[in-house]
Amino acid sequence: MSMDYLNPAEKKFLLSMAWDVLRAGVAGKRSLIKPDAETGGHLMERGASFVTLQKSGELRGCIGSLTAWRPLWEDVAAHAWNAAFEDPRFSPVKASELSLISLKISILTPPEPLLFDSEVDLLSKLQPGVDGLTIRSGRCQATFLPAVWEQLPEPEDFLVHLKLKAGLRADAFPKDLKAERYGTDEFA
């Protein structure tokens, strides 16, 4: 999958569908507009996505998956719902907030394992502003989308905050640490 494999009509459909999910949800309903044969295309293929909600520039919800296991349109619809109403860090979105919320969809490319023999080696392989990164150690795991580079532009800071998000110590570099990078096609 290339970084920009969705056409403008497919992106427009996903954004419209995600907003319909939010509008229905604040009204206490579930809405699911399925793509038809014309708008389907790549949306019917398995895809992994994240949906990020911001309110006045601050994070208001972000849910996604790293693994493509269902049709892309279903993945986006589920994450739109979960970002608005199920993100454990936030209360459910209310109707009065909708006009203040912006919505961004990130479609992930398949993850690529990174091979490294030290933290310095791992840091040297990161592409700031381009790479999303997932780390795993034991039962600890976390990911940052490429957009996080906007807040954490230095690779060292990016990795430290990712380790903390995963539940690892900032100064830890476990021997079993695994890392994967991925790209995203983001649109809002």
Side-chain angles (χ1 to χ4, degrees):
M1 175 195 319
S2 76
M3 287 292 287
D4 204 16
Y5 86 119
L6 296 180
N7 67 43
E10 291 167 331
K11 291 177 181 182
K12 184 178 178 184
F13 174 85
L14 289 176
L15 286 167
S16 176
M17 178 195 64
W19 277 112
D20 285 344
V21 166
L22 266 62
R23 282 190 289 273
V26 298
K29 302 181 182 106
R30 291 298 281 250
S31 168
L32 198 53
I33 299 166
K34 297 179 181 178
D36 57 29
E38 273 185 47
T39 53
H42 294 106
L43 306 182
M44 301 304 209
E45 298 170 11
R46 287 183 181 186
S49 67
F50 272 75
V51 174
T52 304
L53 305 179
Q54 288 193 315
K55 179 180 169 186
S56 306
E58 297 291 319
L59 185 66
R60 182 61 179 87
C62 182
I63 300 285
S65 60
L66 298 167
T67 307
W69 60 275
R70 59 185 163 189
L72 179 59
W73 73 271
E74 282 184 35
D75 201 62
V76 170
H79 298 320
W81 177 272
N82 291 337
F85 308 111
E86 306 285 338
D87 189 326
R89 300 169 292 180
F90 302 98
S91 60
V93 169
K94 295 178 182 59
S96 60
E97 295 178 274
L98 276 187
S99 65
L100 304 172
I101 286 180
S102 63
L103 182 148
K104 179 168 61 179
I105 297 172
S106 303
I107 308 302
L108 280 58
T109 62
E112 165 197 331
L114 284 170
L115 302 175
F116 52 90
D117 54 24
S118 67
E119 187 164 2
V120 170
D121 188 26
L122 173 58
L123 289 169
S124 74
K125 293 180 177 179
L126 297 180
Q127 301 172 74
V130 175
D131 289 340
L133 185 65
T134 303
I135 59 170
R136 292 180 185 84
S137 173
R139 295 174 58 189
C140 299
Q141 174 179 320
T143 194
F144 275 160
L145 294 170
V148 174
W149 288 104
E150 293 167 19
Q151 286 87 46
L152 300 167
E154 294 301 320
E156 296 81 6
D157 295 336
F158 189 87
L159 185 57
V160 162
H161 282 84
L162 185 56
K163 288 191 286 186
L164 293 171
K165 182 181 178 187
L168 299 169
R169 289 191 343 263
D171 62 350
F173 198 77
K175 289 186 183 2
D176 70 338
L177 189 79
K178 303 265 188 283
E180 293 179 328
R181 82 166 117 211
Y182 56 89
T184 57
D185 180 5
E186 293 184 348
F187 48 97

